[in-house]
Amino acid sequence: MPFLQEYFQGKINRGNFHVEPARHWYLAVRDRAQQEDAQKNQTQPQNTATSETEDALKPIEALFRGITDQLLQFNPPDEFPETFLFDSERLWQLRSTIQNLINLDIAWYIFEAYVNKHKRYLSAPEETYSTFRTRIWSLMEDGIDMESRIASNPVANDDDPDHRGGKRWTQNMRCIALEIARFACAALQLDAVVADEVIAPIEEALEWHLSNESDLFRYFQNSMRGKVLDTTLASARRYLPLSPLAICESQRTPPSSSGPAPGSSSAPAVSGASSQQLTPQVSDIERIGMRLAHMGVLHWRVWAPLLYLRDEITMADLAPALI
């Protein structure tokens, strides 16, 4: 860490690395986090005061909130803060995974809504979801090329499957809609050949919700935000006392399967929807939390004293001399 701090400080001093916008970004997300916490405490007063450990975690928690919001927002950010220059490829990969998880929730919701509309219910929802997830996920990831995101600015073009409304994106969306319609036909015991009256409403609903920042998207986005932040902060608490090597070693430990699972159980109410906890996504979210915490804790050790908390640390150093 000292080597990296000296390296970046040298680049900053020589004028080769402009990071003040990143500091302004952090201060803004920290102020927003403090305001959100204050509002939450007013509407949901806590019976016990937060511990010193939790209070000490607040500055880095603000960092995680800020970067998580960029991973979750509907439209891709123009860029990540300059201080994440060497982490931008991993951040674009995490964003792609998170957006696909949200889209998967939307796809499953549309499927369940269509089946329940016809007064049918899934006899084996967990098994169906597992198969559904595998097949839909492969279509969502089809052709994704992370190379266009390494420069910390995704190029929106028709060949980019993440460019909403683009040619490649539309083709993938239609393939996903067809696969959902096949699952619906199987659930309703219809002919194996998907009829137009089955695929048309599914494709229309899917295109609308994946092309627009709809209420359904925001619902799953907010649900995902809570899960990602919870798992990230849980991992960060474990990593903060560890050395960089120990943090890297801990990444080899497989995530646990405990905790609430996303899926139909977290969706807006659908008549007759299954209440099963659909567990495959839990490990995905825990892996995201581990990777984000790993990146964030190491990032914080370099940039908190160098930039984000620079003024606070300077004042703390000066305080004894002023007494």
Side-chain angles (χ1 to χ4, degrees):
M1 294 299 117
F3 167 77
L4 287 175
Q5 288 176 340
E6 291 178 7
Y7 170 75
F8 286 121
Q9 186 65 67
K11 289 178 68 68
I12 293 170
N13 293 341
R14 292 190 297 272
N16 297 332
F17 197 23
H18 304 287
V19 293
E20 280 304 306
R23 180 172 176 271
H24 296 320
W25 167 84
Y26 171 74
L27 294 177
V29 298
R30 186 178 67 176
D31 289 345
R32 187 166 66 247
Q34 292 172 344
Q35 292 172 8
E36 290 173 354
D37 288 343
Q39 292 174 355
K40 182 179 179 181
N41 290 336
Q42 288 178 352
T43 57
Q44 300 175 359
Q46 302 294 318
N47 294 328
T48 57
T50 57
S51 67
E52 291 184 6
T53 302
E54 290 301 309
D55 287 339
L57 192 66
K58 289 297 182 182
I60 192 174
E61 180 181 337
L63 178 82
F64 285 126
R65 287 195 195 185
I67 206 68
T68 298
D69 282 345
Q70 290 191 309
L71 299 179
L72 282 157
Q73 67 188 48
F74 182 76
N75 292 312
D78 292 333
E79 59 183 2
F80 292 106
E82 293 84 347
T83 47
F84 285 92
L85 176 65
F86 296 147
D87 297 314
S88 61
E89 180 182 359
R90 286 184 290 173
L91 287 174
W92 285 118
Q93 290 171 341
L94 286 174
R95 174 177 163 82
S96 178
T97 300
I98 288 173
Q99 292 296 318
N100 279 346
L101 287 172
I102 295 174
N103 293 341
L104 182 66
D105 276 340
I106 291 173
W108 176 255
Y109 177 84
I110 291 172
F111 164 68
E112 278 201 317
Y114 186 87
V115 171
N116 295 331
K117 178 182 178 182
H118 291 79
K119 310 301 182 185
R120 298 289 183 88
Y121 307 104
L122 302 176
S123 58
E126 289 186 334
E127 181 180 344
T128 302
Y129 177 79
S130 180
T131 306
F132 180 94
R133 182 187 187 283
T134 300
R135 289 161 67 173
I136 298 299
W137 188 266
S138 65
L139 292 172
M140 288 180 173
E141 291 194 318
D142 181 37
I144 289 181
D145 179 11
M146 299 309 301
E147 294 298 322
S148 61
R149 289 158 176 73
I150 293 176
S152 75
N153 191 353
V155 179
N157 56 65
D158 278 352
D159 290 329
D160 182 357
D162 279 357
H163 171 41
R164 300 177 193 271
K167 180 179 178 182
R168 186 71 172 276
W169 181 91
T170 301
Q171 290 174 346
N172 284 359
M173 186 277 302
R174 288 174 177 167
C175 290
I176 293 169
L178 177 60
E179 199 63 39
I180 296 172
R182 287 172 177 160
F183 271 86
C185 287
L188 298 175
Q189 299 180 341
L190 300 177
D191 192 273
V193 178
V194 179
D196 289 342
E197 57 265 26
V198 177
I199 193 172
I202 290 175
E203 183 174 313
E204 181 181 0
L206 187 67
E207 182 173 8
W208 167 256
H209 288 298
L210 298 190
S211 302
N212 298 278
E213 196 169 356
S214 64
D215 290 341
L216 188 62
F217 176 88
R218 284 192 289 268
Y219 179 90
F220 287 119
Q221 179 191 49
N222 289 332
S223 176
M224 189 66 65
R225 176 180 288 107
K227 295 182 178 74
V228 169
L229 279 175
D230 286 347
T231 56
T232 299
L233 292 174
S235 293
R237 290 185 184 93
R238 296 195 305 271
Y239 296 161
L240 281 170
L242 303 180
S243 68
L245 178 60
I247 295 175
C248 292
E249 290 294 325
S250 70
Q251 298 289 301
R252 301 180 183 182
T253 304
S256 65
S257 59
S258 60
S264 64
S265 59
S266 64
V270 177
S271 175
S274 67
S275 60
Q276 305 293 326
Q277 287 203 340
L278 306 173
T279 58
Q281 283 189 21
V282 174
S283 59
D284 286 323
I285 294 174
E286 290 192 354
R287 277 192 290 269
I288 290 169
M290 289 173 62
R291 292 174 62 192
L292 191 55
H294 178 194
M295 187 190 316
V297 168
L298 297 182
H299 178 92
W300 184 253
R301 289 178 180 174
V302 173
W303 288 106
L306 199 62
L307 186 70
Y308 301 138
L309 304 183
R310 181 183 62 202
D311 293 348
E312 290 89 335
I313 292 173
T314 300
M315 290 303 297
D317 291 340
L318 290 175
L322 298 175
I323 297 176

